[in-house]
Amino acid sequence: MNQNVLKISVILISCLLLAGFAAASNTTQSKDDAKVVSALAKPNVTAINPTSGKIGETVAFTITGANFSKTSKVYLENESDRDAKNINAKDVTSNSTSTLTGSFDIPTGTDAGTWIVNVKDNGQTSASKVKFTISK
């Protein structure tokens, strides 16, 4: 191999390695970068208030958690009958990445019992253990 080609190859590899190490060691992150990261993270539900409602009522709620956005969708899923129709929230608003507000219209004919609170965003659904009780 030509000596000049070998020298250039070694220099090029060294520069690429140094650039990679410099990029990896740069741990500063702007607020805009953090917003992009949290927008792509899986939503996490930690609480809902109130925790119950009655069939036939409209219940305004506040959900707390993490990784929420303006495109978050909220729904209740029947814990004991996963084939039952979900109850979708309406007028969902993201007040921050950790708070959602909205309301559920609980239709007549809905099964009373425990329902799981779910948030869907960016194609990902929360793995929520937070429950909402529907009574007669």
Side-chain angles (χ1 to χ4, degrees), residues 17 37 60 65 73 77 85 98 125:
L17 286 172
V37 169
K73 306 290 183 207
E77 180 181 19
K85 185 176 178 183
S98 61
T125 303

Side-chain angles (χ1 to χ4, degrees), residues 11-132:
I11 292 170
L12 181 60
I13 290 170
S14 298
C15 288
L16 290 172
L17 286 172
L18 288 174
F21 287 127
S25 66
N26 183 4
T27 58
T28 60
Q29 183 178 39
S30 73
K31 289 182 182 179
D32 291 336
D33 291 339
K35 288 178 185 174
V36 170
V37 169
S38 72
L40 299 176
K42 189 174 190 174
N44 181 32
V45 178
T46 56
I48 187 169
N49 187 27
T51 59
S52 64
K54 293 184 178 184
I55 295 170
E57 286 185 338
T58 296
V59 180
F61 64 79
T62 300
I63 294 174
T64 54
N67 306 320
F68 301 148
S69 78
K70 293 179 184 197
T71 61
S72 293
K73 306 290 183 207
V74 177
Y75 64 94
L76 297 175
E77 180 181 19
N78 190 314
E79 182 179 52
S80 62
D81 182 4
R82 299 294 172 110
D83 292 328
K85 185 176 178 183
N86 293 336
I87 300 173
N88 295 315
K90 65 179 189 175
D91 303 322
V92 176
T93 303
S94 174
N95 302 318
S96 69
T97 58
S98 61
T99 306
L100 295 170
T101 59
S103 63
F104 293 115
D105 287 332
I106 304 172
T108 56
T110 299
D111 292 336
T114 304
W115 293 67
I116 300 168
V117 179
N118 285 306
V119 175
K120 186 171 184 172
D121 202 349
N122 294 310
Q124 299 184 73
T125 303
S126 58
S128 178
K129 297 187 187 300
V130 174
K131 312 239 169 123
F132 186 86

